[in-house]
Every structure is written in C-alpha cells, then in structure tokens.
Amino acid sequence: MPDRNASKSVFASRKSVFCFFTMTSILFVLSWFFVIRSAARPNFIDNNLLSTSESISVIDRNVESSIGNRAVLVDNEKEETTRETQTTHEKDDDGVKCSSSNKLGLKVFMYDLPPEFHFGLLDWKPEGKSVWPNIRTKIPHYPGGLNLQHSIEYWLTLDLLASEFTQARKAPSVIRVHNSSEADIIFVPFFSSLCYNRYSKMNPHERKSINKVLQDKLVKYVTAQEEWKRSGGKDHLVLAHHPNSMLDARTKLWPATFLLSDFGRYPPNIANVEKDVIAPYRHVIRSYVNDNSTFDSRPILLYFQGAIYRKDGGFARQELFYLLKDEKDVHFSFGSVLKGGVSKATEGMRSSKFCLNIAGDTPSSNRLFDAIASHCVPVIISDDIELPYEDVLDYSQFCIFVRTSDALKENYLINFMRSIGRDEWTRMWNKLKEIENFFEFQYPSKEGDAVQMIWQAVARKVPAMRLKLNRSRRYTRSLPSTSKEEGIKSIPAPGNFW
Ligand SMILES: *[C@@H]1O[C@H](CO)[C@@H](O)[C@H](O)[C@H]1NC(C)=O
Ligand SMILES: *[C@@H]1O[C@H](CO)[C@@H](O)[C@H](O)[C@H]1NC(C)=O
Ligand SMILES: *[C@@H]1O[C@H](CO)[C@@H](O)[C@H](O)[C@H]1NC(C)=O
C-alpha cells in the first residue's frame, strides 16, 4: 500500500510538474509574442506571423524555378490548361499551402473614382461616361523624368484595367471584379505621387494646393463608400509611393494597406511592415541588355552619385565622402543623377563593380534600382531601409549590407570592398541578372515583373487582412445597431477558426 501511495503521489507530482511546465512554456511564448508585437518595427516578424507560404529563397535557384516558386500564389505559366483543371490539380498538390482562390489571382475591386484622381492628372480627358480610358484603343502617356520613379500607380491601374480582357490568356496575378463582395481587396486608384509631384505648389490666389484638395475629397469619397464602412478600410489598398504623398489623407486612411517606398516619414502606428507593402521605385537608368562586362572590365571599384543631404540620416553621405575621396578607383560625386545627366550615370554604374546606396533624407531611393538595372552590385548603407518582396527574396545574395556605424570607421568600407574577389562578385553579378526582371515596370505586364510581384506581395497580405477583419467583428453581435450588417453572417463556426 505505501508503495502504491508513493507511486500515486509521484505520479501526481509529475503531473503537476508537467502542468507547471506547460503553463510556463505557454506564458513564455505568449510573452514573446507580445514583446515582438510591441516592438516598433519588427522586421523579422513578418514571415512568421503573416506569410501564408514559407519564405522562399528565390535566389537559390534559377529564374525559371523561382517563377515556379512564386506559383505559391499564381499558377505556373507552363500549364496552359483551363483554369478549372488547374484548380483541382493544385488542390491535390499543395492545397494546404495556399487556397485555390489565390491561385487564380488576386481579386480586386476598384473604385470608379472621377478621372481627376487618376488619368486626369496625366491630362487624359474622358470620352462619354466612362471614368476609365479604353486602353484597348489608346493608353494615356506617362511623361518621362523624375516623376517616373513613383509611377507604380500608373502601371498597377493599367494592369487592373487590362486584366479584364487579358485574363483568358493565362493565369493572371490579378483580376478586376465588379462586385466588391467577391473581392480580396478594394483598390483606391488615386495617383497620389503624381498629384504630389505636379500639384503640391499653391497658386497665389488659392488657399489650398490641388494636392490637398484632392486628398480631402478622396477621404470624403472613400469613407462614405459601403465597402469602407463594411471593413473600416482594413481590406483597402491605398497608393502612397512618394514619401510626401498622401500627407493629409494618410492619417485618415491608415487602417488600409499602403503601397510605400519606405516607412521613413511614417509613424509606426500609421504604417508598418506588418500591414503595408513596400514597392520598388521605377529605375531611371536603362536596363543593361547584353551585359558582357566582367569583374576586370569594370574599372571603378565603388560608385556614388547623389545629392548632398542636409538632414536626418543623410549625414553619412558627407562623412563617407571624406573617407573615400582619396581612393583612385572610387567615384564619389554630389549632384542629382538627373541633373548630372542620365547617360553619364548610366556609363558610371555600368563601369563600376559596386554602387553605393546611402540613406538620404529617406531610407530608400531609386538609386538601388538603378544599380540593379546596371548590374552594379549594390552596397546598402541605410539601417532603416525596407526592401520590396523581402519575404520571398534574399537580398544578401546580390547586395552588400553595411551598418552605418561600421561604414564610418576609417578604412572599413574600402577594405571590405577590396576583400571581395572576382568569384564572389561574379556570383552576385549573375544573381542581379536573374532578379532584375522583378523590378521592371511595363505594360502589358509580364510574368515575374514588378507589377506582378507587387500584386503577389499584396496577395500575401490578404490572410492577415481577413484575420484583422474577422477579429474586429468579434463583438458586433452584441450591438443591436450593427447586427444587421452583412459581416455578421460570415462569422465562421468556432471549429473553423484558428
Ligand atoms: C455580389 O456577390 C455576392 C456574394 O457572392 C452576392 O451575394 C451578390 O448577389 C452579388 N451582387 C451582385 C449585384 O451581383
Ligand atoms: C562587350 O561587347 C561590346 C560590343 O559587342 C564590345 O565593344 C566590348 O568590348 C565587350 N566588352 C567585353 C568586356 O568583352
Ligand atoms: C473571415 O475568415 C474566414 C475564414 O478564414 C474568411 O473566409 C472570411 O473571408 C473572413 N471574413 C472576411 C469578411 O474577410
């Protein structure tokens, strides 16, 4: 008997130790979760918490297979079968990883905003009643120059319009739908960067710039829509690529997902990696086709051309200039690429092994994308930079990252650059040629170009948007005033949740 009692109590104490252990583990995990959540900009959290698919090292494989990898969200282009058969096929294959609706492309509902918000800013005049140009007959022209850097709004909107008549061809990454209930996201087609660039100056007799007036109008329009009221904006996509665009509207439309170049001028509660999508600049330097250069045929070791910056993170530029100015194989000069002549910068970048990308008054700039287009290995000295599609792209395979504090140490940077030999450089140069297409904006968009990569990056945010939406509806049933709202019906059975 005593034995039995002893074993019983041993068992009981084991059980309680086990319980205690489990409890503490859970608490530990939970506390980590909250620590991570409360960090202002949790760069590393993105994949773990939000991505539906595993993070994919696109670069480990060749371009063909990387396109295949992206088929986590979009159908493989090789399979020219009908959509139905593809869906069933994929359900068998890896139905756990991705829902078949994602496979068929992101379903996007676009507000029919008046032309003054989009193509009207490009001086397009509507014919008849339609607010959209008939792009089958004529595509409104986007002027060249500096504005082109932020022209993402133009390419995405064109692609969405085109999706209506090209989707039959092959698996699209985006499909425009006209019933917002069927959409994954609601697209707000305001060309905010162009509006900022063209209309932020005030005319003498006006009290507000057109840029401000249009933002006010936009907020009024959007927040009055059924779609916005239904979700509080959580499933909306708003374009704000220029760091100064949407300065007024951002504080009112922040529940939406923004398409941004970086978070430099945003407080973390308005924009953050968890919610928003980083998109590339359009490069202003022409792509280097038939690049037959080699490590030895590029005489300049390190190239930098850019403005001197006066404020914020920009001080590093001046410091670096003094550290590097006596090195013979370093080109370091101040002045805008455009002022200095695009052709000169093109020649410079194509003749250089490495191209510096130093934080200016914002963490990002189009210089990185100019370097990629020139196959000049980017050296990134910008601690707060955010990079497009980084959840599926390992930049360390074709970029060099240097902490600002290291770069400002005497001889650190130059020694680092000189330590990278022909083989390592050539490997990175080859990767650049493999991935450059991810940063190419064009119409019509092509498989794996910037336009499609951005739609896919948005698609990867959709599950998190849905989660937020469903969570926000938890208590709606207890409010009689809102219980008639449509969302209530779609509350899933507890068993399906989590
Ligand atoms: C829109 O889609 C929803 C859900 O599929 C459907 O119930 C509704 O009838 C559709 N509305 C129109 C106008 O077709
Ligand atoms: C690359 O090709 C061009 C034109 O065909 C030629 O002039 C140049 O010398 C070549 N460069 C190298 C490094 O082979
Ligand atoms: C709520 O969650 C379900 C299950 O994930 C999803 O299908 C649904 O679309 C979500 N609701 C909304 C309104 O997004």
Side-chain angles (χ1 to χ4, degrees):
M1 276 312 266
D3 273 349
R4 234 174 134 183
N5 276 344
S7 75
K8 236 185 196 168
S9 68
V10 164
F11 178 71
S13 70
R14 269 202 196 147
K15 207 171 160 185
S16 60
V17 164
F18 178 72
C19 271
F20 177 72
F21 183 74
T22 315
M23 283 292 289
T24 46
S25 306
I26 289 171
L27 281 174
F28 180 71
V29 168
L30 272 177
S31 66
W32 254 109
F33 180 77
F34 285 114
V35 166
I36 289 168
R37 287 229 26 170
S38 62
R41 248 180 245 160
N43 296 347
F44 55 93
I45 201 176
D46 196 18
N47 265 333
N48 301 337
L49 288 187
L50 298 181
S51 203
T52 38
S53 54
E54 289 159 46
S55 119
I56 301 153
S57 175
V58 174
I59 299 314
D60 280 340
R61 305 148 209 220
N62 58 33
V63 174
E64 263 80 55
S65 73
S66 70
I67 285 167
N69 280 337
R70 287 182 303 93
V72 168
L73 294 154
V74 177
D75 286 326
N76 195 328
E77 67 172 338
K78 281 173 202 148
E79 288 174 52
E80 296 274 314
T81 41
T82 65
R83 285 231 225 119
E84 277 86 334
T85 53
Q86 277 179 348
T87 320
T88 42
H89 164 75
E90 265 129 27
K91 264 183 191 152
D92 295 337
D93 240 354
D94 50 6
V96 183
K97 236 177 170 180
C98 37
S99 76
S100 55
S101 75
N102 270 351
K103 290 273 187 173
L104 293 180
L106 184 69
K107 293 201 218 82
V108 178
F109 173 84
M110 176 160 69
Y111 285 130
D112 288 322
L113 287 177
E116 60 175 340
F117 288 102
H118 44 85
F119 290 100
L121 292 165
L122 289 167
D123 307 319
W124 172 77
K125 300 268 184 305
E127 293 154 21
K129 269 189 220 150
S130 174
V131 298
W132 300 110
N134 181 358
I135 56 170
R136 266 181 279 198
T137 55
K138 190 168 182 288
I139 295 156
H141 175 68
Y142 197 102
L146 207 64
N147 292 357
L148 214 46
Q149 297 180 71
H150 300 289
S151 55
I152 169 175
E153 43 206 27
Y154 170 77
W155 306 107
L156 289 184
T157 308
L158 279 183
D159 196 45
L160 208 47
L161 292 172
S163 74
E164 295 198 87
F165 56 87
T166 57
Q167 63 175 274
R169 280 214 314 256
K170 61 174 181 183
S173 55
V174 72
I175 303 163
R176 182 181 178 198
V177 295
H178 291 273
N179 180 344
S180 63
S181 310
E182 289 165 1
D184 296 316
I185 60 151
I186 313 292
F187 184 73
V188 182
F190 174 38
F191 291 4
S192 58
S193 302
L194 186 67
C195 184
Y196 170 77
N197 277 326
R198 286 199 159 181
Y199 297 110
S200 53
K201 293 223 173 65
M202 253 187 297
N203 288 331
H205 54 279
E206 287 165 347
R207 288 164 84 212
K208 268 181 163 181
S209 68
I210 293 176
N211 181 41
K212 269 183 188 278
V213 171
L214 277 182
Q215 285 180 61
D216 290 348
K217 265 181 157 174
L218 182 78
V219 170
K220 268 204 199 95
Y221 178 99
V222 170
T223 54
Q225 301 303 306
E226 266 317 302
E227 287 79 11
W228 181 275
K229 289 183 192 154
R230 206 156 67 194
S231 67
K234 291 185 187 70
D235 56 356
H236 282 51
L237 184 67
V238 171
L239 306 159
H241 198 261
H242 192 294
N244 292 342
S245 64
M246 299 291 269
L247 215 52
D248 302 284
R250 64 173 66 160
T251 55
K252 311 216 168 72
L253 300 181
W254 63 268
T257 290
F258 292 125
L259 259 183
L260 303 169
S261 53
D262 60 54
F263 299 118
R265 302 205 176 141
Y266 284 81
N269 58 327
I270 301 281
N272 52 65
V273 270
E274 198 177 320
K275 169 172 83 71
D276 303 308
V277 174
I278 297 294
Y281 292 63
R282 186 189 179 282
H283 56 86
V284 291
I285 283 180
R286 270 193 330 279
S287 304
Y288 194 171
V289 284
N290 302 323
D291 174 8
N292 60 349
S293 66
T294 61
F295 185 75
D296 299 303
S297 78
R298 291 180 174 238
I300 302 167
L301 176 69
L302 191 55
Y303 181 91
F304 177 81
Q305 173 84 49
I308 291 192
Y309 273 106
R310 352 10 107 158
K311 44 188 181 185
D312 299 343
F315 76 98
R317 291 188 177 189
Q318 250 159 335
E319 296 285 309
L320 280 164
F321 173 70
Y322 288 111
L323 287 171
L324 296 170
K325 67 179 177 15
D326 295 328
E327 304 292 336
K328 281 196 194 69
D329 49 359
V330 173
H331 169 99
F332 202 116
S333 70
F334 290 117
S336 145
V337 165
L338 282 163
K339 273 186 204 134
V342 174
S343 65
K344 239 173 114 190
T346 307
E347 205 193 312
M349 286 192 165
R350 290 181 179 183
S351 312
S352 305
K353 297 180 179 73
F354 299 100
C355 284
L356 269 175
N357 188 80
I358 318 167
D361 57 354
T362 56
S364 72
S365 80
N366 74 309
R367 194 167 297 101
L368 170 63
F369 306 99
D370 285 337
I372 292 172
S374 314
H375 311 148
C376 177
V377 174
V379 177
I380 297 174
I381 305 174
S382 180
D383 301 345
D384 295 325
I385 197 167
E386 294 296 341
L387 298 162
Y389 355 110
E390 206 177 0
D391 55 343
V392 293
L393 197 57
D394 177 1
Y395 281 79
S396 72
Q397 303 210 7
F398 54 90
C399 292
I400 310 266
F401 291 87
V402 184
R403 288 187 190 86
T404 308
S405 56
D406 286 336
L408 299 181
K409 289 175 191 155
E410 194 135 21
N411 291 328
Y412 182 95
L413 190 61
I414 196 74
N415 288 343
F416 189 4
M417 295 300 103
R418 292 202 200 289
S419 75
I420 296 167
R422 181 182 294 110
D423 291 349
E424 201 180 344
W425 182 86
T426 307
R427 236 182 346 259
M428 290 194 279
W429 174 77
N430 275 318
K431 301 285 184 204
L432 283 172
K433 294 199 292 180
E434 282 174 21
I435 54 88
E436 64 181 328
N437 188 39
F438 295 164
F439 305 98
E440 228 38 81
F441 289 92
Q442 57 204 341
Y443 178 82
S445 74
K446 295 202 187 84
E447 184 73 29
D449 67 5
V451 174
Q452 303 210 358
M453 287 294 279
I454 291 164
W455 286 128
Q456 287 159 27
V458 171
R460 290 194 292 273
K461 296 285 185 196
V462 168
M465 290 181 200
R466 290 204 174 129
L467 175 62
K468 256 196 283 184
L469 248 172
N470 277 342
R471 288 177 72 93
S472 71
R473 292 194 171 120
R474 281 180 178 184
Y475 299 106
T476 44
R477 201 184 288 278
S478 59
L479 293 173
S481 58
T482 56
S483 64
K484 281 193 197 101
E485 273 181 24
E486 188 183 351
I488 300 300
K489 281 179 252 144
S490 64
I491 289 181
N496 299 337
F497 203 62
W498 292 107

